[in-house]
Amino acid sequence: MKTARLRRCCILLWLTMPAWLPVAVGAADITEVPIGIAMPLTGPAAAFGKSLVNAAEMAIDDANRRHPKVAGRAVRFKLLVVDERGSTRTAALAANYLIKQGVVASIGNGSTFTTLATARIFSDAGIAQLAPSASAPWPEGERHTTFRMIGHSGQGAPLLADYLVDNLHALNAAVIDNGTRAGNMFGAAFKERFQARKGKVVSSDSIQFRSSDFNTILEATRLKRPDVIFFGGLADQAAALVRNVRRVGLQTTFVHGMNGTNGLNFLRDAGAAADGVLAINPGMPTDKMPGWKNFEKEYLQRFGGNINDYAPITYDAVQVLVAAVRDADSFLPARILAALYKVRYSGLTGTISFDRNGNLLNPIFTIYQMKDMHWLPLQTYDASKS
């Protein structure tokens, strides 16, 4: 009876221990330091999420090869992967799970709306969250413990509007968004800058997220004869929309104002209708990234393919967290959080540091155009200098 009671007590103690207490690895005691990552690993965005998890695993392995030490202990960083399925409800459950598992910080989520669904959860727990693909500014008056690894729509949309006025001499635009917070805000920021540059917004419409019925909007748009059609929405819906734009006979320049367009999936889904599409994406072109060739080579050797533009951003997100843990010289989430505000990390995607609101100090954007079935970078901007 005493033995059984002792066993139950030991099990209870183990379950309530922080995940970063020392564990025996081989002949040495090494402290495991868990970092969470929540991405869509099933559903329409599964390939996207898996690519980012692959990059995070590479970063963890690279960090561990340097035999890191924290607070005088040998440590091994460990990635805890959860599937948020592209669902706000599942993302919230995943965030709570990672917190209960004792992560010192987390990477995620896969989209703006799933990131916003988890920001307050991590904030309430005092745990840092690094978001590799969230494009909408935080709700007014709110500030969480989330750090953005890319520039937000309020920074990118004006650059896109300027490019259209200065280079295409666009005089009027039809604006469509996907009805989400990210789409609404990107569309609003675009309209504000385009009109400030004396452009005319001839129509402004929202479609339901994931909708494939564009007939009514496109029929009305066709009659307006805009110079450009701007769409604020995800890449898969943008591909369906541009196919329908061409189907109804509109040869107007199609402009995509959200993230993730300039990849192979858009070309696959849009087909010939992709030719001429303009898109803005966070970051510099990959061939301008220091260390890109080595990263790409290792990624393809390990995973065979499916390398997304957000993979290097996610790789850097993990490395920034590792740097913050080492700078803090602590496993405590509060100290790691404080270190993130001071971090200055030279990564694959450039120099990374944050302001007091968790935004990048030097957000980079690049405008691309699809030509001859390839994405051609047209212009790269440092939004902090615009």
Side-chain angles (χ1 to χ4, degrees), residues 194-214:
F194 190 72
Q195 290 170 326
R197 293 294 310 274
K198 309 304 181 185
K200 182 180 180 182
V201 176
V202 297
S203 62
S204 182
D205 298 284
S206 290
I207 58 177
Q208 189 176 3
F209 177 59
R210 298 294 184 193
S211 173
S212 58
D213 181 7
F214 316 110

mmCIF file with all atom_site columns, all heavy atoms in Angstrom, residues 194-214:
data_model
loop_
_atom_site.group_PDB
_atom_site.id
_atom_site.type_symbol
_atom_site.label_atom_id
_atom_site.label_alt_id
_atom_site.label_comp_id
_atom_site.label_asym_id
_atom_site.label_entity_id
_atom_site.label_seq_id
_atom_site.pdbx_PDB_ins_code
_atom_site.Cartn_x
_atom_site.Cartn_y
_atom_site.Cartn_z
_atom_site.occupancy
_atom_site.B_iso_or_equiv
_atom_site.pdbx_formal_charge
_atom_site.auth_seq_id
_atom_site.auth_comp_id
_atom_site.auth_asym_id
_atom_site.auth_atom_id
_atom_site.pdbx_PDB_model_num
ATOM 1   N N   . PHE A 1 194 ? -4.157  55.257 -51.424 1.00 0.00 ? 194 PHE A N   1
ATOM 2   C CA  . PHE A 1 194 ? -4.455  55.445 -52.848 1.00 0.00 ? 194 PHE A CA  1
ATOM 3   C C   . PHE A 1 194 ? -5.221  56.750 -53.062 1.00 0.00 ? 194 PHE A C   1
ATOM 4   O O   . PHE A 1 194 ? -4.933  57.519 -53.989 1.00 0.00 ? 194 PHE A O   1
ATOM 5   C CB  . PHE A 1 194 ? -5.259  54.253 -53.372 1.00 0.00 ? 194 PHE A CB  1
ATOM 6   C CG  . PHE A 1 194 ? -5.424  54.225 -54.864 1.00 0.00 ? 194 PHE A CG  1
ATOM 7   C CD1 . PHE A 1 194 ? -4.356  53.929 -55.698 1.00 0.00 ? 194 PHE A CD1 1
ATOM 8   C CD2 . PHE A 1 194 ? -6.662  54.482 -55.446 1.00 0.00 ? 194 PHE A CD2 1
ATOM 9   C CE1 . PHE A 1 194 ? -4.503  53.895 -57.071 1.00 0.00 ? 194 PHE A CE1 1
ATOM 10  C CE2 . PHE A 1 194 ? -6.825  54.455 -56.819 1.00 0.00 ? 194 PHE A CE2 1
ATOM 11  C CZ  . PHE A 1 194 ? -5.743  54.158 -57.640 1.00 0.00 ? 194 PHE A CZ  1
ATOM 12  N N   . GLN A 1 195 ? -6.185  57.015 -52.196 1.00 0.00 ? 195 GLN A N   1
ATOM 13  C CA  . GLN A 1 195 ? -6.954  58.258 -52.309 1.00 0.00 ? 195 GLN A CA  1
ATOM 14  C C   . GLN A 1 195 ? -6.102  59.475 -51.951 1.00 0.00 ? 195 GLN A C   1
ATOM 15  O O   . GLN A 1 195 ? -6.257  60.540 -52.559 1.00 0.00 ? 195 GLN A O   1
ATOM 16  C CB  . GLN A 1 195 ? -8.195  58.176 -51.426 1.00 0.00 ? 195 GLN A CB  1
ATOM 17  C CG  . GLN A 1 195 ? -9.232  57.189 -51.945 1.00 0.00 ? 195 GLN A CG  1
ATOM 18  C CD  . GLN A 1 195 ? -10.353 56.923 -50.956 1.00 0.00 ? 195 GLN A CD  1
ATOM 19  O OE1 . GLN A 1 195 ? -10.143 56.910 -49.735 1.00 0.00 ? 195 GLN A OE1 1
ATOM 20  N NE2 . GLN A 1 195 ? -11.561 56.694 -51.462 1.00 0.00 ? 195 GLN A NE2 1
ATOM 21  N N   . ALA A 1 196 ? -5.176  59.309 -51.002 1.00 0.00 ? 196 ALA A N   1
ATOM 22  C CA  . ALA A 1 196 ? -4.274  60.413 -50.665 1.00 0.00 ? 196 ALA A CA  1
ATOM 23  C C   . ALA A 1 196 ? -3.370  60.765 -51.836 1.00 0.00 ? 196 ALA A C   1
ATOM 24  O O   . ALA A 1 196 ? -2.926  61.921 -51.959 1.00 0.00 ? 196 ALA A O   1
ATOM 25  C CB  . ALA A 1 196 ? -3.438  60.043 -49.448 1.00 0.00 ? 196 ALA A CB  1
ATOM 26  N N   . ARG A 1 197 ? -3.120  59.768 -52.705 1.00 0.00 ? 197 ARG A N   1
ATOM 27  C CA  . ARG A 1 197 ? -2.308  60.008 -53.896 1.00 0.00 ? 197 ARG A CA  1
ATOM 28  C C   . ARG A 1 197 ? -3.171  60.418 -55.093 1.00 0.00 ? 197 ARG A C   1
ATOM 29  O O   . ARG A 1 197 ? -2.757  60.336 -56.234 1.00 0.00 ? 197 ARG A O   1
ATOM 30  C CB  . ARG A 1 197 ? -1.513  58.740 -54.236 1.00 0.00 ? 197 ARG A CB  1
ATOM 31  C CG  . ARG A 1 197 ? -0.440  58.350 -53.227 1.00 0.00 ? 197 ARG A CG  1
ATOM 32  C CD  . ARG A 1 197 ? 0.695   59.362 -53.141 1.00 0.00 ? 197 ARG A CD  1
ATOM 33  N NE  . ARG A 1 197 ? 1.241   59.710 -54.425 1.00 0.00 ? 197 ARG A NE  1
ATOM 34  C CZ  . ARG A 1 197 ? 2.212   59.017 -55.051 1.00 0.00 ? 197 ARG A CZ  1
ATOM 35  N NH1 . ARG A 1 197 ? 2.737   57.933 -54.474 1.00 0.00 ? 197 ARG A NH1 1
ATOM 36  N NH2 . ARG A 1 197 ? 2.661   59.412 -56.221 1.00 0.00 ? 197 ARG A NH2 1
ATOM 37  N N   . LYS A 1 198 ? -4.395  60.868 -54.819 1.00 0.00 ? 198 LYS A N   1
ATOM 38  C CA  . LYS A 1 198 ? -5.340  61.358 -55.825 1.00 0.00 ? 198 LYS A CA  1
ATOM 39  C C   . LYS A 1 198 ? -5.929  60.249 -56.703 1.00 0.00 ? 198 LYS A C   1
ATOM 40  O O   . LYS A 1 198 ? -6.500  60.528 -57.761 1.00 0.00 ? 198 LYS A O   1
ATOM 41  C CB  . LYS A 1 198 ? -4.700  62.421 -56.731 1.00 0.00 ? 198 LYS A CB  1
ATOM 42  C CG  . LYS A 1 198 ? -4.012  63.563 -55.981 1.00 0.00 ? 198 LYS A CG  1
ATOM 43  C CD  . LYS A 1 198 ? -4.958  64.257 -55.012 1.00 0.00 ? 198 LYS A CD  1
ATOM 44  C CE  . LYS A 1 198 ? -4.251  65.409 -54.282 1.00 0.00 ? 198 LYS A CE  1
ATOM 45  N NZ  . LYS A 1 198 ? -5.113  66.039 -53.239 1.00 0.00 ? 198 LYS A NZ  1
ATOM 46  N N   . GLY A 1 199 ? -5.827  59.005 -56.237 1.00 0.00 ? 199 GLY A N   1
ATOM 47  C CA  . GLY A 1 199 ? -6.493  57.914 -56.933 1.00 0.00 ? 199 GLY A CA  1
ATOM 48  C C   . GLY A 1 199 ? -7.949  57.831 -56.519 1.00 0.00 ? 199 GLY A C   1
ATOM 49  O O   . GLY A 1 199 ? -8.329  58.276 -55.427 1.00 0.00 ? 199 GLY A O   1
ATOM 50  N N   . LYS A 1 200 ? -8.768  57.271 -57.376 1.00 0.00 ? 200 LYS A N   1
ATOM 51  C CA  . LYS A 1 200 ? -10.201 57.145 -57.093 1.00 0.00 ? 200 LYS A CA  1
ATOM 52  C C   . LYS A 1 200 ? -10.551 55.685 -56.860 1.00 0.00 ? 200 LYS A C   1
ATOM 53  O O   . LYS A 1 200 ? -10.206 54.812 -57.670 1.00 0.00 ? 200 LYS A O   1
ATOM 54  C CB  . LYS A 1 200 ? -11.022 57.696 -58.269 1.00 0.00 ? 200 LYS A CB  1
ATOM 55  C CG  . LYS A 1 200 ? -12.519 57.635 -58.034 1.00 0.00 ? 200 LYS A CG  1
ATOM 56  C CD  . LYS A 1 200 ? -13.279 58.204 -59.222 1.00 0.00 ? 200 LYS A CD  1
ATOM 57  C CE  . LYS A 1 200 ? -14.788 58.143 -58.993 1.00 0.00 ? 200 LYS A CE  1
ATOM 58  N NZ  . LYS A 1 200 ? -15.540 58.667 -60.171 1.00 0.00 ? 200 LYS A NZ  1
ATOM 59  N N   . VAL A 1 201 ? -11.231 55.401 -55.754 1.00 0.00 ? 201 VAL A N   1
ATOM 60  C CA  . VAL A 1 201 ? -11.723 54.056 -55.477 1.00 0.00 ? 201 VAL A CA  1
ATOM 61  C C   . VAL A 1 201 ? -13.132 53.962 -56.052 1.00 0.00 ? 201 VAL A C   1
ATOM 62  O O   . VAL A 1 201 ? -14.069 54.578 -55.532 1.00 0.00 ? 201 VAL A O   1
ATOM 63  C CB  . VAL A 1 201 ? -11.726 53.757 -53.959 1.00 0.00 ? 201 VAL A CB  1
ATOM 64  C CG1 . VAL A 1 201 ? -12.342 52.387 -53.680 1.00 0.00 ? 201 VAL A CG1 1
ATOM 65  C CG2 . VAL A 1 201 ? -10.308 53.828 -53.407 1.00 0.00 ? 201 VAL A CG2 1
ATOM 66  N N   . VAL A 1 202 ? -13.281 53.240 -57.152 1.00 0.00 ? 202 VAL A N   1
ATOM 67  C CA  . VAL A 1 202 ? -14.571 53.203 -57.859 1.00 0.00 ? 202 VAL A CA  1
ATOM 68  C C   . VAL A 1 202 ? -15.556 52.236 -57.228 1.00 0.00 ? 202 VAL A C   1
ATOM 69  O O   . VAL A 1 202 ? -16.772 52.352 -57.436 1.00 0.00 ? 202 VAL A O   1
ATOM 70  C CB  . VAL A 1 202 ? -14.371 52.859 -59.349 1.00 0.00 ? 202 VAL A CB  1
ATOM 71  C CG1 . VAL A 1 202 ? -13.553 53.942 -60.044 1.00 0.00 ? 202 VAL A CG1 1
ATOM 72  C CG2 . VAL A 1 202 ? -13.706 51.493 -59.528 1.00 0.00 ? 202 VAL A CG2 1
ATOM 73  N N   . SER A 1 203 ? -15.053 51.271 -56.435 1.00 0.00 ? 203 SER A N   1
ATOM 74  C CA  . SER A 1 203 ? -15.941 50.346 -55.722 1.00 0.00 ? 203 SER A CA  1
ATOM 75  C C   . SER A 1 203 ? -15.163 49.721 -54.572 1.00 0.00 ? 203 SER A C   1
ATOM 76  O O   . SER A 1 203 ? -13.937 49.604 -54.625 1.00 0.00 ? 203 SER A O   1
ATOM 77  C CB  . SER A 1 203 ? -16.478 49.250 -56.646 1.00 0.00 ? 203 SER A CB  1
ATOM 78  O OG  . SER A 1 203 ? -15.422 48.459 -57.171 1.00 0.00 ? 203 SER A OG  1
ATOM 79  N N   . SER A 1 204 ? -15.898 49.335 -53.539 1.00 0.00 ? 204 SER A N   1
ATOM 80  C CA  . SER A 1 204 ? -15.283 48.688 -52.380 1.00 0.00 ? 204 SER A CA  1
ATOM 81  C C   . SER A 1 204 ? -16.244 47.621 -51.871 1.00 0.00 ? 204 SER A C   1
ATOM 82  O O   . SER A 1 204 ? -17.358 47.933 -51.455 1.00 0.00 ? 204 SER A O   1
ATOM 83  C CB  . SER A 1 204 ? -14.995 49.717 -51.289 1.00 0.00 ? 204 SER A CB  1
ATOM 84  O OG  . SER A 1 204 ? -14.350 49.123 -50.184 1.00 0.00 ? 204 SER A OG  1
ATOM 85  N N   . ASP A 1 205 ? -15.816 46.369 -51.925 1.00 0.00 ? 205 ASP A N   1
ATOM 86  C CA  . ASP A 1 205 ? -16.693 45.250 -51.584 1.00 0.00 ? 205 ASP A CA  1
ATOM 87  C C   . ASP A 1 205 ? -15.976 44.245 -50.705 1.00 0.00 ? 205 ASP A C   1
ATOM 88  O O   . ASP A 1 205 ? -14.739 44.136 -50.721 1.00 0.00 ? 205 ASP A O   1
ATOM 89  C CB  . ASP A 1 205 ? -17.158 44.535 -52.856 1.00 0.00 ? 205 ASP A CB  1
ATOM 90  C CG  . ASP A 1 205 ? -17.972 45.424 -53.770 1.00 0.00 ? 205 ASP A CG  1
ATOM 91  O OD1 . ASP A 1 205 ? -19.151 45.669 -53.453 1.00 0.00 ? 205 ASP A OD1 1
ATOM 92  O OD2 . ASP A 1 205 ? -17.427 45.871 -54.804 1.00 0.00 ? 205 ASP A OD2 1
ATOM 93  N N   . SER A 1 206 ? -16.771 43.482 -49.954 1.00 0.00 ? 206 SER A N   1
ATOM 94  C CA  . SER A 1 206 ? -16.261 42.360 -49.171 1.00 0.00 ? 206 SER A CA  1
ATOM 95  C C   . SER A 1 206 ? -16.937 41.081 -49.636 1.00 0.00 ? 206 SER A C   1
ATOM 96  O O   . SER A 1 206 ? -18.129 41.089 -49.980 1.00 0.00 ? 206 SER A O   1
ATOM 97  C CB  . SER A 1 206 ? -16.539 42.548 -47.672 1.00 0.00 ? 206 SER A CB  1
ATOM 98  O OG  . SER A 1 206 ? -15.756 43.575 -47.124 1.00 0.00 ? 206 SER A OG  1
ATOM 99  N N   . ILE A 1 207 ? -16.171 40.007 -49.687 1.00 0.00 ? 207 ILE A N   1
ATOM 100 C CA  . ILE A 1 207 ? -16.742 38.694 -49.968 1.00 0.00 ? 207 ILE A CA  1
ATOM 101 C C   . ILE A 1 207 ? -16.503 37.807 -48.758 1.00 0.00 ? 207 ILE A C   1
ATOM 102 O O   . ILE A 1 207 ? -15.618 38.075 -47.941 1.00 0.00 ? 207 ILE A O   1
ATOM 103 C CB  . ILE A 1 207 ? -16.124 38.054 -51.230 1.00 0.00 ? 207 ILE A CB  1
ATOM 104 C CG1 . ILE A 1 207 ? -14.598 37.925 -51.082 1.00 0.00 ? 207 ILE A CG1 1
ATOM 105 C CG2 . ILE A 1 207 ? -16.492 38.822 -52.468 1.00 0.00 ? 207 ILE A CG2 1
ATOM 106 C CD1 . ILE A 1 207 ? -13.942 37.241 -52.252 1.00 0.00 ? 207 ILE A CD1 1
ATOM 107 N N   . GLN A 1 208 ? -17.280 36.772 -48.619 1.00 0.00 ? 208 GLN A N   1
ATOM 108 C CA  . GLN A 1 208 ? -17.139 35.886 -47.475 1.00 0.00 ? 208 GLN A CA  1
ATOM 109 C C   . GLN A 1 208 ? -15.839 35.114 -47.565 1.00 0.00 ? 208 GLN A C   1
ATOM 110 O O   . GLN A 1 208 ? -15.428 34.674 -48.643 1.00 0.00 ? 208 GLN A O   1
ATOM 111 C CB  . GLN A 1 208 ? -18.323 34.920 -47.408 1.00 0.00 ? 208 GLN A CB  1
ATOM 112 C CG  . GLN A 1 208 ? -18.377 34.107 -46.127 1.00 0.00 ? 208 GLN A CG  1
ATOM 113 C CD  . GLN A 1 208 ? -19.624 33.242 -46.069 1.00 0.00 ? 208 GLN A CD  1
ATOM 114 O OE1 . GLN A 1 208 ? -20.403 33.205 -47.002 1.00 0.00 ? 208 GLN A OE1 1
ATOM 115 N NE2 . GLN A 1 208 ? -19.806 32.559 -44.956 1.00 0.00 ? 208 GLN A NE2 1
ATOM 116 N N   . PHE A 1 209 ? -15.187 34.975 -46.435 1.00 0.00 ? 209 PHE A N   1
ATOM 117 C CA  . PHE A 1 209 ? -13.958 34.198 -46.355 1.00 0.00 ? 209 PHE A CA  1
ATOM 118 C C   . PHE A 1 209 ? -14.202 32.790 -46.904 1.00 0.00 ? 209 PHE A C   1
ATOM 119 O O   . PHE A 1 209 ? -15.147 32.124 -46.525 1.00 0.00 ? 209 PHE A O   1
ATOM 120 C CB  . PHE A 1 209 ? -13.506 34.145 -44.893 1.00 0.00 ? 209 PHE A CB  1
ATOM 121 C CG  . PHE A 1 209 ? -12.280 33.324 -44.652 1.00 0.00 ? 209 PHE A CG  1
ATOM 122 C CD1 . PHE A 1 209 ? -11.088 33.628 -45.288 1.00 0.00 ? 209 PHE A CD1 1
ATOM 123 C CD2 . PHE A 1 209 ? -12.311 32.260 -43.776 1.00 0.00 ? 209 PHE A CD2 1
ATOM 124 C CE1 . PHE A 1 209 ? -9.946  32.879 -45.048 1.00 0.00 ? 209 PHE A CE1 1
ATOM 125 C CE2 . PHE A 1 209 ? -11.187 31.509 -43.525 1.00 0.00 ? 209 PHE A CE2 1
ATOM 126 C CZ  . PHE A 1 209 ? -10.004 31.813 -44.167 1.00 0.00 ? 209 PHE A CZ  1
ATOM 127 N N   . ARG A 1 210 ? -13.363 32.379 -47.841 1.00 0.00 ? 210 ARG A N   1
ATOM 128 C CA  . ARG A 1 210 ? -13.440 31.072 -48.514 1.00 0.00 ? 210 ARG A CA  1
ATOM 129 C C   . ARG A 1 210 ? -14.518 30.999 -49.584 1.00 0.00 ? 210 ARG A C   1
ATOM 130 O O   . ARG A 1 210 ? -14.708 29.957 -50.209 1.00 0.00 ? 210 ARG A O   1
ATOM 131 C CB  . ARG A 1 210 ? -13.647 29.919 -47.520 1.00 0.00 ? 210 ARG A CB  1
ATOM 132 C CG  . ARG A 1 210 ? -12.527 29.743 -46.500 1.00 0.00 ? 210 ARG A CG  1
ATOM 133 C CD  . ARG A 1 210 ? -11.244 29.325 -47.150 1.00 0.00 ? 210 ARG A CD  1
ATOM 134 N NE  . ARG A 1 210 ? -10.186 29.057 -46.179 1.00 0.00 ? 210 ARG A NE  1
ATOM 135 C CZ  . ARG A 1 210 ? -8.907  28.908 -46.477 1.00 0.00 ? 210 ARG A CZ  1
ATOM 136 N NH1 . ARG A 1 210 ? -8.512  29.019 -47.734 1.00 0.00 ? 210 ARG A NH1 1
ATOM 137 N NH2 . ARG A 1 210 ? -8.012  28.666 -45.549 1.00 0.00 ? 210 ARG A NH2 1
ATOM 138 N N   . SER A 1 211 ? -15.247 32.072 -49.829 1.00 0.00 ? 211 SER A N   1
ATOM 139 C CA  . SER A 1 211 ? -16.281 32.033 -50.872 1.00 0.00 ? 211 SER A CA  1
ATOM 140 C C   . SER A 1 211 ? -15.642 31.864 -52.245 1.00 0.00 ? 211 SER A C   1
ATOM 141 O O   . SER A 1 211 ? -14.530 32.340 -52.502 1.00 0.00 ? 211 SER A O   1
ATOM 142 C CB  . SER A 1 211 ? -17.100 33.324 -50.846 1.00 0.00 ? 211 SER A CB  1
ATOM 143 O OG  . SER A 1 211 ? -17.976 33.368 -51.946 1.00 0.00 ? 211 SER A OG  1
ATOM 144 N N   . SER A 1 212 ? -16.371 31.213 -53.145 1.00 0.00 ? 212 SER A N   1
ATOM 145 C CA  . SER A 1 212 ? -15.910 31.087 -54.533 1.00 0.00 ? 212 SER A CA  1
ATOM 146 C C   . SER A 1 212 ? -16.926 31.697 -55.500 1.00 0.00 ? 212 SER A C   1
ATOM 147 O O   . SER A 1 212 ? -16.812 31.522 -56.712 1.00 0.00 ? 212 SER A O   1
ATOM 148 C CB  . SER A 1 212 ? -15.675 29.610 -54.882 1.00 0.00 ? 212 SER A CB  1
ATOM 149 O OG  . SER A 1 212 ? -16.870 28.860 -54.678 1.00 0.00 ? 212 SER A OG  1
ATOM 150 N N   . ASP A 1 213 ? -17.895 32.413 -54.962 1.00 0.00 ? 213 ASP A N   1
ATOM 151 C CA  . ASP A 1 213 ? -18.919 33.051 -55.795 1.00 0.00 ? 213 ASP A CA  1
ATOM 152 C C   . ASP A 1 213 ? -18.593 34.538 -55.919 1.00 0.00 ? 213 ASP A C   1
ATOM 153 O O   . ASP A 1 213 ? -18.854 35.330 -55.018 1.00 0.00 ? 213 ASP A O   1
ATOM 154 C CB  . ASP A 1 213 ? -20.305 32.855 -55.163 1.00 0.00 ? 213 ASP A CB  1
ATOM 155 C CG  . ASP A 1 213 ? -21.408 33.476 -56.011 1.00 0.00 ? 213 ASP A CG  1
ATOM 156 O OD1 . ASP A 1 213 ? -21.112 33.942 -57.137 1.00 0.00 ? 213 ASP A OD1 1
ATOM 157 O OD2 . ASP A 1 213 ? -22.564 33.494 -55.547 1.00 0.00 ? 213 ASP A OD2 1
ATOM 158 N N   . PHE A 1 214 ? -18.022 34.904 -57.063 1.00 0.00 ? 214 PHE A N   1
ATOM 159 C CA  . PHE A 1 214 ? -17.608 36.290 -57.291 1.00 0.00 ? 214 PHE A CA  1
ATOM 160 C C   . PHE A 1 214 ? -18.434 36.977 -58.368 1.00 0.00 ? 214 PHE A C   1
ATOM 161 O O   . PHE A 1 214 ? -18.129 38.098 -58.767 1.00 0.00 ? 214 PHE A O   1
ATOM 162 C CB  . PHE A 1 214 ? -16.127 36.332 -57.707 1.00 0.00 ? 214 PHE A CB  1
ATOM 163 C CG  . PHE A 1 214 ? -15.228 35.453 -56.897 1.00 0.00 ? 214 PHE A CG  1
ATOM 164 C CD1 . PHE A 1 214 ? -14.647 34.324 -57.438 1.00 0.00 ? 214 PHE A CD1 1
ATOM 165 C CD2 . PHE A 1 214 ? -14.959 35.764 -55.573 1.00 0.00 ? 214 PHE A CD2 1
ATOM 166 C CE1 . PHE A 1 214 ? -13.801 33.529 -56.695 1.00 0.00 ? 214 PHE A CE1 1
ATOM 167 C CE2 . PHE A 1 214 ? -14.118 34.969 -54.813 1.00 0.00 ? 214 PHE A CE2 1
ATOM 168 C CZ  . PHE A 1 214 ? -13.535 33.846 -55.368 1.00 0.00 ? 214 PHE A CZ  1
#
